[in-house]
Amino acid sequence: MRNASGARGALRSFAIREWGPLYATVRAALVARGWRAIPMTLAAVCLTSVFQIVQNQDWGYQPVQDIGSVRAEDPLVLALLRTPLSLFVPALDLPVWGALAQILLVFGIAEICLGRWRTLVVAYAATLAGTLYARLAIALGPDSPFGLPASDAQVVDTGPSAAVVGLAVYVCWRYRARWTGTLVVVAMVVEVLIKNNLAGKEHIAAIAAVLAVIAFQRWRERGQRGAEPRPGTRSWKPPIRS
């Protein structure tokens, strides 16, 4: 009994350390504001739902492809113009509820914890990294461990998964959920090992892009701390008081 009680206590302590700050932030926002805490996320869910309905109509498939479908064979400028909306175009070969659940959960948490604009920037950076990686991988060819076959240039590359993975890693870093962030990374690596396809490798590219953003922010924060004058130095002055 003591061993079981000790194990439960250790598990509870781990959960509090790992998810406590994140849970408290999300809960406080939802209790105070309800659904109003995640307006961007709700708009993204609605937009994804609209794209899903329209692209399954005879008259709507091509217009959706024209504004939100990305392929590695497309001209780069066209792909870059389509990339922002490609996040919200569900993949036709996957159930739409999966995309909607990912957006609602991960985008919602990120919007509360990071803010609207930072969430959009990280999501777009992760998606753009996947889009650019696809072109590089196809240029490298299937003989390279980082390459892909030329046939993947025709694969329609849409959906929120790269953005979701990138946001998950970034939020875990910001809230010190290290084990959860590590688990996300390991899961994506295992995905590539099991199913070596475009989507899996784009997830790794998205993680790499977000880790680069994190490294830059940490370097910048260390530089700012080092540049701050401290008491006892000639450049330090007491605060002005009226």
Side-chain angles (χ1 to χ4, degrees), residues 51 63-70 82-83 85-87 89 157-158:
F51 275 139
V64 172
Q65 295 295 300
D66 291 340
I67 65 175
S69 176
V70 177
R82 290 175 172 176
T83 296
L85 283 178
S86 72
L87 277 75
V89 178
D157 182 18
T158 60

Side-chain angles (χ1 to χ4, degrees), residues 86-105:
S86 72
L87 277 75
F88 310 110
V89 178
L92 289 170
D93 58 339
L94 296 174
V96 68
W97 61 263
L100 296 176
Q102 289 177 8
I103 294 173
L104 184 61
L105 179 63

Side-chain angles (χ1 to χ4, degrees), residues 131-214:
T131 298
L132 297 178
Y133 164 78
R135 294 170 177 271
L136 175 62
I138 290 166
L140 292 174
D143 295 332
S144 169
F146 301 104
L148 291 167
S151 59
D152 280 355
Q154 301 175 359
V155 174
V156 177
D157 182 18
T158 60
S161 59
V164 164
V165 170
L167 284 171
V169 172
Y170 191 87
V171 170
C172 286
W173 169 69
R174 293 289 294 184
Y175 281 79
R176 300 183 181 275
R178 296 186 178 90
W179 287 102
T180 306
T182 301
L183 182 61
V184 173
V185 175
V186 170
M188 295 302 102
V189 172
V190 171
E191 177 190 16
V192 170
L193 294 177
I194 294 175
K195 193 174 182 180
N196 187 15
N197 60 7
L198 174 61
K201 288 189 172 181
E202 283 190 339
H203 294 163
I204 300 298
I207 291 173
V210 171
L211 291 179
V213 171
I214 291 172

Side-chain angles (χ1 to χ4, degrees), residues 22 38 48 53 55 59 75 82 90 110-111 115 118 123 161 168 179 196 205 207 210-211:
L22 182 62
I38 52 171
T48 303
I53 294 170
Q55 75 175 352
W59 54 266
R82 290 175 172 176
E111 184 175 4
R118 183 170 292 183
S161 59
W179 287 102
N196 187 15
I207 291 173
V210 171
L211 291 179

